[in-house]
Amino acid sequence: MASDNKSIFRTKSIEAMLSESGKGLKKVLGAFELTMLGIGAIIGTGIFVLTGVAAADYAGPALVLSFVFAAIACTFAALCYAELAAMIPVAGSAYTFGYVGLGEIWAWLIGWDLILEYVVAVAAVAVGWSGYIVALLKAGGITVPAALCNPPGQNGGIVNLPAIIVLFVVMLFLIKGVSESTKLNNILVIIKLAVVILFIVVGIGHVNPANWHPFFPYGVNGVFTGASIIFFAYVGFDAVSTAAEEVKNPQRDLPIGIVASLLVCTVLYIIVSAILTGMVPYKEFHGNAAPVAYALAKVGINWGSALVSVGAVCGISSVLLVMTFGSSRILFSLSRDGLLPTVFSEVHPKFGTPIKSTVLVGVVTMVLSGFLQIGRLAEMTNIGTLCAFCIVSASVIVLRKKRPDVTRPFACPGVPITPAISILFCLYLIYKLPQFTHMVFVIWIAIGIVVYFIYGKGHSIMNFEEQK
């Protein structure tokens, strides 16, 4: 067996992690901003796009139960996140927690996985944003040429210019500072919450219970498949923990932000999916990228449909902001630990943001969204999130045994049962994902293992710390 200083399973001490925390990054976030960050990432594509797809193709009216099942799985994982985020308020999310609990190789793999997950999600969501904004402009009498709003090979496209422009603006906001970015996010979140509540108030009077029959058109199995697909909707609270080093009182505010954002969004998802499938027969949502707006137009509320489209643009904009923020912080953490080139851990002296990580993420997502048809690759997000949840849950169990002495401002209840249930839920949802998703995941992880042994292991700061 390899010695400790050479082992790929070497762990980083909590004390070492905490000593690095906050070097250069500005601490400007509180519980409210964190909750809004979570809602900003969670309510977006999931509620405005995926609800229709999951209802039409996987669960039917039982989509309500898909959201319940996914929310239960997330709740167990969220409690684990809350314990570790409060105990180790360091940027990096599951990567950081895995490094302390399970060892360097596991931390690297989940960090590598999360980078792909976030970047692909941002690119895919930017394409969705482009579709909504082009439709809104057309409704206002402005037609964007097909060549400038589609990638090459799709409807005569050359470049998806709106997607590139919105990601460039997001990048500039994130470079300027977290405080400015969260203020923008708060405004966008308030607008989209108002739109979602408007849909609930207006739509509930147009529910026809007959549309809920049959309730299980795809069988009970469809509920679980639907849950694995819409799990994309819940990735947001992972993004909350990536902001750990920029929180003023992380021990108190991180658990509040994680749990509160999950609870608010779960309630809204369940209500919206019930009303949506009650207003319109689930089959009509097949291939529809704007199910909420479609449902309102279907029952004759065209003004509401237009408002929902505006809300969707705001909602998806906040997802882009938070997800780009999260990916840059994970890249920053990997770089600071030497597993990727250290240039990406440089912090801007004036703005206090990891500028080079932010620019790299911005450029890569702009290229992906502007010139590629993302297609099924967006499904990678689900398996990446689920794997991250497994790593975090396992780390809670390990650290309870290895480091019972460390103060836990928030203690996950029912350990080890709660994290074990979280792992089982997530493994089951991974199993239910399409085969294509499993294939892409295996290929990306294989590339990650090669990168680790060629570069990461030799450049890890653990090598130098252990030689002192």
Side-chain angles (χ1 to χ4, degrees):
M1 185 175 176
S3 62
D4 287 343
N5 68 320
K6 299 291 185 183
S7 174
I8 62 174
F9 299 106
R10 55 192 174 185
T11 57
K12 200 168 188 181
S13 72
I14 294 174
E15 290 75 15
M17 281 286 186
L18 294 176
S19 69
E20 295 172 356
S21 177
K23 288 184 178 177
L25 296 176
K26 290 185 178 179
K27 293 184 179 293
V28 296
L29 305 177
F32 176 75
E33 288 82 8
L34 287 171
T35 303
M36 295 296 268
L37 273 177
I39 295 173
I42 297 172
I43 292 185
T45 311
I47 209 162
F48 293 114
V49 179
L50 287 181
T51 44
V53 174
D57 300 338
Y58 300 102
L63 177 65
V64 174
L65 298 182
S66 296
F67 274 111
V68 171
F69 184 81
I72 291 171
C74 278
T75 299
F76 287 107
L79 292 171
C80 296
Y81 264 90
E83 173 169 316
L84 295 182
M87 186 171 75
I88 315 168
V90 179
S93 180
Y95 160 73
T96 297
F97 307 147
Y99 212 150
V100 172
L102 303 180
E104 186 172 271
I105 185 65
W106 289 108
W108 160 257
L109 289 177
I110 202 60
W112 177 253
D113 183 34
L114 283 171
I115 288 175
L116 176 69
E117 168 197 340
Y118 274 79
V119 166
V120 171
V122 168
V125 171
V127 172
W129 186 94
S130 174
Y132 266 105
I133 203 72
V134 167
L136 275 176
L137 289 173
K138 188 175 183 180
I142 302 172
T143 301
V144 180
L148 298 180
C149 60
N150 290 295
Q154 181 177 313
N155 301 327
I158 298 174
V159 60
N160 193 332
L161 195 58
I164 291 177
I165 291 172
V166 71
L167 288 174
F168 182 74
V169 172
V170 164
M171 183 182 73
L172 292 181
F173 262 99
L174 290 173
I175 289 171
K176 183 68 169 63
V178 178
S179 180
E180 291 78 3
S181 302
T182 53
K183 286 174 185 174
L184 173 62
N185 180 66
N186 291 348
I187 294 168
L188 295 173
V189 169
I190 289 169
I191 292 172
K192 70 177 172 183
L193 284 178
V195 168
V196 171
I197 292 169
L198 173 72
F199 170 76
I200 292 170
V201 172
V202 174
I204 197 166
H206 292 82
V207 169
N208 178 4
N211 290 329
W212 288 330
H213 301 287
F215 192 70
F216 294 103
Y218 298 99
V220 176
N221 191 53
V223 173
F224 301 119
T225 304
S228 69
I229 298 299
I230 55 93
F231 206 85
F232 174 86
Y234 286 109
V235 67
F237 74 80
D238 177 85
V240 174
S241 65
T242 66
E245 286 185 42
E246 289 144 289
V247 181
K248 289 178 281 190
N249 185 359
Q251 287 77 14
R252 181 181 73 91
D253 294 342
L254 279 167
I256 293 174
I258 290 168
V259 175
S261 59
L262 178 62
L263 288 176
V264 169
C265 297
T266 296
V267 171
L268 290 177
Y269 271 134
I270 290 170
I271 295 173
V272 167
S273 58
I275 292 174
L276 198 65
T277 52
M279 289 175 69
V280 178
Y282 69 92
K283 289 183 179 179
E284 292 190 25
F285 293 121
H286 181 72
N288 193 311
V292 178
Y294 174 79
L296 288 171
K298 181 74 175 180
V299 297
I301 310 174
N302 292 315
W303 62 268
S305 178
L307 272 178
V308 164
S309 294
V310 173
V313 169
C314 291
I316 295 172
S317 298
S318 65
V319 173
L320 291 174
L321 193 69
V322 179
M323 298 292 275
T324 304
F325 171 90
S327 55
S328 65
R329 268 45 179 187
I330 293 167
L331 180 59
F332 167 81
S333 297
L334 286 164
S335 171
R336 184 169 62 183
D337 289 335
L339 299 176
L340 287 176
T342 54
V343 66
F344 298 114
S345 60
E346 293 178 9
V347 176
H348 193 280
K350 180 181 178 182
F351 302 138
T353 55
I355 184 168
K356 291 180 180 176
S357 288
T358 305
V359 170
L360 178 62
V361 170
V363 170
V364 172
T365 53
M366 279 185 257
V367 170
L368 288 175
S369 63
F371 298 99
L372 297 180
Q373 298 178 40
I374 302 298
R376 293 190 301 175
L377 193 57
E379 293 175 2
M380 248 309 287
T381 307
N382 294 5
I383 199 166
T385 307
L386 289 163
C387 288
F389 288 0
C390 288
I391 292 291
V392 171
S393 301
S395 295
V396 167
I397 297 173
V398 171
L399 286 172
R400 283 289 185 99
K401 287 190 173 294
K402 285 173 60 177
R403 296 299 307 270
D405 58 304
V406 179
T407 302
R408 288 168 169 79
F410 176 88
C412 173
V415 176
I417 295 173
T418 298
I421 292 173
S422 170
I423 293 170
L424 289 173
F425 266 122
C426 293
L427 288 176
Y428 180 71
L429 288 174
I430 289 172
Y431 168 73
K432 297 300 292 183
L433 284 168
Q435 185 178 359
F436 169 81
T437 308
H438 295 148
M439 181 179 68
V440 173
F441 176 74
V442 169
I443 293 171
W444 182 250
I445 289 297
I447 294 171
I449 291 171
V450 172
V451 172
Y452 174 74
F453 282 105
I454 290 178
Y455 182 90
K457 190 172 186 294
H459 290 81
S460 170
I461 62 169
M462 293 287 285
N463 297 323
F464 308 103
E465 287 181 355
E466 287 162 353
Q467 287 170 8
K468 292 176 182 178

